[in-house]
Amino acid sequence: MFGELSFEMNTKYGAIPLNQQINTDLQDLPYAWRRVVVFADNMAQAKVADAIGRNPKQQLTWIGLAALPLLLPFGIPGVATTLGYLTFLLGLGYALGFGIPIPKSIGEKRLPPKAASVLKSILGVFIRRVAPYSRPRLFIMSHPRMRPLNGLVLAFAGLTMAAPVPFASFDNVLPAAAMVSITFGLRVRDGRLVLAGYVFTVLAALLVVLLWWGGYAAFMWISRQPWASQWLGWLFS
């Protein structure tokens, strides 16, 4: 069914809406996934505050879509840190059951064109790989009683993305996977996808700790080398 699904961005598409670039009928997708595709069309042009909105489902969809380009192991300047802090705020709001005002400096921003282009490309791959196997299940994970925990885990995933990490450009992959899994899992009520997001969040936190420990160990080793003081003396002389 999904073999022909494609969101590849090439010149022949130009500004054609995303849902018109699909080579298969949108009706073949489950309703929740169709809503994600339609939402992605509007997200690339809207300001952050307008795209996020106040509806919990809309906010979850925005976070999941915004995190998709960061699943690729290269950085998009200015996106990861901002998205991490936004996810932290929205996750707290989701856990507490009310909307948290978005800072105006962030709300007025738009998704960078490079991020929007990558988003439209990777969304097709993601849906083709995940949607056929995703279905409502393990409802306890998307039950309203789990909302506080789900929101806190999502907020923590945002913090791991926003945390500065030394000597790494791939550190956003695990937090992005956590955010995508949790938000889309809640959106389509796939409890297994939400659980996968929990696992990715733990792995992301461990990676941050490991990279900081490695950076500290490398700094201490270098500082003990005889040539380090000579090089620093030459540098600041």
Side-chain angles (χ1 to χ4, degrees):
M1 180 189 303
F2 297 90
E4 297 298 318
L5 183 62
S6 173
F7 291 85
E8 293 179 344
M9 298 299 294
N10 52 47
T11 55
K12 73 176 182 179
Y13 290 139
I16 297 176
L18 183 59
N19 58 2
Q20 294 181 19
Q21 298 174 21
I22 307 177
N23 295 328
T24 191
D25 193 347
L26 273 177
Q27 298 303 318
D28 290 338
L29 290 170
Y31 175 77
W33 289 111
R34 295 204 305 269
R35 295 298 302 167
V36 171
V37 172
V38 173
F39 187 90
D41 263 333
N42 301 324
M43 177 180 167
Q45 289 81 27
K47 293 181 180 179
V48 169
D50 295 333
I52 291 176
R54 293 185 177 274
N55 183 279
K57 289 185 177 181
Q58 182 176 345
Q59 293 177 347
L60 291 175
T61 305
W62 186 90
I63 293 173
L65 288 171
L68 272 176
L70 299 177
L71 290 174
L72 301 177
F74 58 80
I76 301 177
V79 172
T81 302
T82 301
L83 178 59
Y85 286 129
L86 271 178
T87 302
F88 174 72
L89 291 175
L90 295 175
L92 283 182
Y94 186 79
L96 298 174
F98 60 84
I100 295 180
I102 302 301
K104 187 176 180 181
S105 59
I106 297 178
E108 292 297 316
K109 291 184 178 182
R110 298 178 186 270
L111 195 65
K114 180 180 179 181
S117 177
V118 175
L119 165 65
K120 292 180 179 182
S121 180
I122 196 173
L123 178 57
V125 177
F126 181 83
I127 290 182
R128 185 171 65 245
R129 300 285 179 84
V130 175
Y133 307 102
S134 177
R135 64 183 184 275
R137 54 189 167 183
L138 202 59
F139 293 110
I140 183 62
M141 295 304 300
S142 58
H143 193 277
R145 292 182 180 177
M146 290 293 292
R147 181 169 180 163
L149 181 58
N150 288 333
L152 290 176
V153 174
L154 183 60
F156 186 68
L159 281 182
T160 62
M161 176 174 284
V165 176
F167 313 121
S169 60
F170 55 85
D171 57 294
N172 294 320
V173 174
L174 286 174
M179 291 154 59
V180 168
S181 299
I182 293 173
T183 54
F184 285 165
L186 292 173
R187 188 69 174 85
V188 302
R189 301 203 67 189
D190 187 342
R192 288 188 183 179
L193 203 53
V194 177
L195 276 179
Y198 277 50
V199 174
F200 285 129
T201 300
V202 172
L203 293 177
L206 292 176
L207 179 63
V208 170
V209 172
L210 179 62
L211 289 175
W212 270 106
W213 177 83
Y216 173 77
F219 174 80
M220 295 302 296
W221 181 83
I222 292 174
S223 66
R224 290 194 294 266
Q225 303 308 308
W227 50 265
S229 57
Q230 299 175 2
W231 183 81
L232 289 175
W234 172 82
L235 182 64
F236 293 103
S237 61

